[in-house]
Amino acid sequence: MIQVEEKLYQNRYRVDEGRPHIKIKDREICSLCSHKICTVLCPAGCYRKGTDSAVSLITDGCLECGTCQVICLEHKNILWEYPRGGYGILYKFG
Amino acid sequence: MGLSILFAEQKGERFTMAEGAEKTKSSKRKKIALDPKLAEYRGIWVFIEQEEGIAHPVSWELLGRARYLATTLEVEVAAVVFGESQEKVEKITAEALSYGADKVYQVVDPALCDYRSDPYTDCLVNLVRKYKPEILLLGATALSRDLASSVATLLETGLTADCTELSIDVESRSLEATRPTFGGSLLCTILTLNYRPQMATARPGVLPIPTAEPGRKGIVIREQMQIDEEKILTKVLSFIPEPYKTAEKLSTAEVVVGGGRGLKQPGHFALLRELADLLGGEVGGTRPVVQAGWLEAERQIGQTGKTIRPKIYIAVGISGAIQHRVGIEKAGMIVAINSDPNAPIFDYADIGIVGDFLEIIPALIRVLKKRQSTKTELHAKDKPFEIELK
Ligand SMILES: Cc1cc2nc3c(=O)[nH]c(=O)nc-3n(C[C@H](O)[C@H](O)[C@H](O)COP(=O)(O)OP(=O)(O)OC[C@H]3O[C@@H](n4cnc5c(N)ncnc54)[C@H](O)[C@@H]3O)c2cc1C
Ligand code: SF4
């Protein structure tokens, strides 16, 4: 199976080291959330279910589509910003 | 490499792709008749880099290579040694002779004590103008790269930096300097056809150090140079040794043990640390473990982290995503320990161990400790490497 990372590698990024543009407000809420829909719907696989019931978020591969912010309707647990200017995904022939 | 051949010409210099060059070499290469004035340039020179009377090992690597090139060209190998006192220079001269130099050019002057671009460049340029070597080689260290570029500019000749392979094109007697470019994705062989000397700096550690023959004799040529301290703009006030930087060490470590999300808890990095210490290496890791705060950000290896070239890389609980792979591909050997036999890392690991790292790492540590304690009695290489899993 081709992994999502393989495809993300085709993209160009300038990762803003140490300054993730998306944050989870309250990790507790994620543990209690039953469907954890972000881990399924994020096209870049930024959200992952951990071994315990936690959700981990690594924004390096984020495509800045906004899906996660919209789908977390029930809890509104996502603090969503664009990356700073010059950072994030840099689409070439996008 | 499998890439098509790329030709580009620039001032009579020829760039070819390393692979495939073999076939097209004679057919496609434009014949350039060397300027008769330049045809008298003969011999291969190696600049011996020294600091405080201690030579950099890359100098000996280069002498070894120069010896080999000299056999093809049927010329002599000469070493160039600069220093502030005759005593220090003599010591390095003797070493250079033992590593295969036929001749040693010495310049002794108090102004040559610490490396400074101006006097070093002037001395080297003057020597080259006087004795006309065909090839001039230097190490691709911070010091010598600085020197090489200013010498090449003054001599108006071609310089190829950071080479990983040096050979001779027999037909045209020219130096084929091969270097990685575009971050290592292409190998490029560069020739300087119509300028002399042909200059190259070689990356430390890629060429083998030849066996020294102590007591080997050669010709020593002492040159006096007029160096006017007043005219040198750079003054060395003092040396500040770089503070201990562990991240720095990661890039140069010979052994690196990398940990990934498979380690499950930060505490397990202590195991990797122990293994790394036993092997005299450093610890690194993947993006997720850095993100989780299990490891300092400077220890991240990969696309957005460091690119490392250790002799051995041990990947523990790392799936081997492409973003991690690009940082470790240059390792001499990749050992992967992963419980999932389908992990992508096994596609490019040289040694793959499928299993739980919690069993394998402690077992490895046990074996290494046992070996260390018995090292005096038996040669490590006589004994097969056995790991007992409890
Ligand atoms: C723009 C961008 C830049 C990136 N830059 C980097 C980068 O610089 N460096 C980097 O590393 N990643 C980077 N990544 C992330 C990369 O794509 C991967 O997500 C990451 O490398 C995976 O890390 P991992 O192998 O530690 O974790 P996982 O992929 O979760 O792998 C864990 C592995 O551990 C194994 N395992 C589990 N338990 C055990 C056990 N008990 N014993 C042995 N094995 C076990 C599992 O089988 C699995 O293969 C980047 C991603 C993007 C999008
Ligand atoms: S914005 Fe889109 S790509 Fe980025 S984390 Fe959210 S869902 Fe994933």
Side-chain angles (χ1 to χ4, degrees), chain A residues 22 41-44 46-47 57 61-69 80:
Chain A
I22 308 176
L41 282 188
C42 170
C46 294
Y47 295 85
L57 163 63
C62 174
L63 305 164
E64 299 165 31
C65 68
T67 305
C68 52
Q69 184 190 25
W80 203 98

Side-chain angles (χ1 to χ4, degrees), chain B residues 201-259:
Chain B
T201 64
R203 183 175 292 179
V206 290
L207 303 165
I209 295 186
T211 27
E213 292 172 49
R216 200 171 159 274
K217 292 273 176 292
I219 303 164
V220 175
I221 298 161
R222 295 197 179 119
E223 275 295 319
Q224 278 297 322
M225 294 276 169
Q226 297 296 325
I227 305 176
D228 190 353
E229 182 64 50
E230 296 295 305
K231 290 216 179 97
I232 305 172
L233 297 177
T234 328
K235 308 284 174 208
V236 179
L237 300 179
S238 70
F239 258 112
I240 303 162
E242 240 189 313
Y244 183 78
K245 267 206 226 136
T246 49
E248 222 28 64
K249 289 181 78 183
L250 182 62
S251 320
T252 54
E254 295 206 332
V255 179
V256 174
V257 185

Side-chain angles (χ1 to χ4, degrees), chain B residues 271 275 357-370 385-390:
Chain B
L271 268 178
L275 181 62
F357 79 94
L358 275 178
E359 285 178 37
I360 293 158
I361 302 289
L364 261 175
I365 291 174
R366 271 203 305 280
V367 175
L368 287 167
K369 276 196 177 150
K370 204 156 125 198
F385 200 76
E386 284 165 18
I387 300 180
E388 293 159 36
L389 292 180
K390 269 195 306 208

Side-chain angles (χ1 to χ4, degrees), chain B residues 40-205:
Chain B
E40 59 180 306
Y41 280 69
R42 277 290 178 272
I44 305 181
W45 283 17
V46 175
F47 174 76
I48 309 294
E49 175 175 337
Q50 63 90 21
E51 270 178 298
E52 298 178 3
I54 296 161
H56 194 290
V58 72
S59 311
W60 312 142
E61 293 170 25
L62 281 171
L63 273 179
R65 194 66 194 172
R67 216 18 313 142
Y68 170 78
L69 301 178
T71 326
T72 318
L73 288 177
E74 297 176 349
V75 292
E76 283 184 332
V77 173
V80 181
V81 186
F82 293 171
E84 91 270 33
S85 73
Q86 194 64 39
E87 183 199 341
K88 279 184 184 165
V89 168
E90 284 304 335
K91 175 180 155 274
I92 293 178
T93 299
E95 278 184 282
L97 291 171
S98 77
Y99 283 112
D102 303 308
K103 253 187 203 161
V104 177
Y105 294 95
Q106 298 179 336
V107 182
V108 178
D109 195 289
L112 298 172
C113 175
D114 296 314
Y115 173 75
R116 288 177 294 173
S117 288
D118 291 346
Y120 270 64
T121 303
D122 286 347
C123 289
L124 194 51
V125 166
N126 288 340
L127 277 184
V128 168
R129 290 210 170 117
K130 183 162 176 192
Y131 293 101
K132 302 189 184 342
E134 200 169 1
I135 294 174
L136 173 56
L137 305 174
L138 300 92
T141 56
L143 186 160
S144 292
R145 286 182 77 153
D146 178 71
L147 178 63
S149 52
S150 58
V151 168
T153 325
L154 278 177
L155 293 171
E156 295 186 24
T157 187
L159 163 68
T160 309
D162 211 16
C163 297
T164 51
E165 178 60 38
L166 298 166
S167 54
I168 298 288
D169 172 38
V170 183
E171 209 180 308
S172 66
R173 279 183 75 90
S174 34
L175 176 71
E176 296 179 319
T178 301
R179 57 154 304 162
T181 183
F182 294 113
S185 56
L186 290 180
L187 281 178
C188 185
T189 302
I190 302 178
L191 287 84
T192 302
L193 295 178
N194 206 16
Y195 296 86
R196 291 292 178 269
Q198 308 161 71
M199 288 183 61
T201 64
R203 183 175 292 179

Side-chain angles (χ1 to χ4, degrees), chain A residues 34-70:
Chain A
S34 56
H35 42 68
K36 304 198 202 307
I37 195 74
C38 53
T39 63
V40 184
L41 282 188
C42 170
C46 294
Y47 295 85
R48 276 227 203 181
K49 258 186 256 187
T51 34
D52 38 16
S53 55
V55 172
S56 75
L57 163 63
I58 301 182
T59 56
D60 291 13
C62 174
L63 305 164
E64 299 165 31
C65 68
T67 305
C68 52
Q69 184 190 25
V70 178

